[in-house]
Amino acid sequence: MPAYESQPYDNLIAGYVVPLTTVSVVVKSGSGIIKRGTVLGAVSQLPETNASHGMYTVAPVDSSKTDGSQMPFAILSDQQVDATTKDVRATGYVSGEFNRHALIFGGTDKVEKHEIAMRNVGLITKRVVE
């Protein structure tokens, strides 16, 4: 009989009024080890000549960047991704309701800087009583 495992509660999801929608993404090499709840910005989209065409290359949102990663696009749904030395496929939420205190950003960014931009792309932040 197979063993069943459940993931520990991580308080990232803050509701289900707005449906959770995911997409496959490629986390850009050099992004380091990133964890579930990291807000990602789209750096580029893979061209038609690539086998994974249409997927977005992403990196942690950092307002000091100018490569596209300064604007929120998705939130990492995988538990952890190591993109230190190579591009890595992952899954990101592109819509849903999220606990603002569980979100992780690149650089020194905080949730307050990106809440309006996140709302504009369907990533709704909420205050959650913990």
Side-chain angles (χ1 to χ4, degrees), residues 14-96:
Y16 293 98
V17 173
V18 176
L20 289 172
T21 305
T22 59
V23 295
S24 293
V25 294
V26 176
V27 180
K28 185 179 176 182
S29 173
S31 296
I33 297 173
I34 59 174
K35 296 181 180 187
R36 177 176 167 84
T38 299
V39 180
L40 305 167
V43 176
S44 64
Q45 189 173 22
L46 296 176
E48 292 294 321
T49 55
N50 187 296
S52 299
H53 63 84
M55 289 177 62
Y56 289 91
T57 301
V58 297
V61 165
D62 183 342
S63 62
S64 68
K65 305 286 184 182
T66 58
D67 61 357
S69 64
Q70 70 274 17
M71 295 297 295
F73 170 73
I75 296 172
L76 185 68
S77 65
D78 297 349
Q79 289 298 318
Q80 181 172 295
V81 172
D82 185 354
T84 304
T85 59
K86 63 180 180 177
D87 290 350
V88 177
R89 288 183 74 160
T91 305
Y93 296 113
V94 290
S95 72

Side-chain angles (χ1 to χ4, degrees), residues 80-130:
Q80 181 172 295
V81 172
D82 185 354
T84 304
T85 59
K86 63 180 180 177
D87 290 350
V88 177
R89 288 183 74 160
T91 305
Y93 296 113
V94 290
S95 72
E97 299 172 72
F98 302 93
N99 177 356
R100 66 192 307 276
H101 298 293
L103 299 175
I104 304 166
F105 295 87
T108 59
D109 289 5
K110 302 289 182 207
V111 68
E112 296 85 5
K113 182 159 190 70
H114 298 285
E115 273 183 307
I116 293 173
M118 291 175 69
R119 180 171 290 278
N120 289 339
V121 295
L123 301 170
I124 309 302
T125 60
K126 289 182 143 184
R127 287 175 172 76
V128 175
V129 177
E130 296 180 33

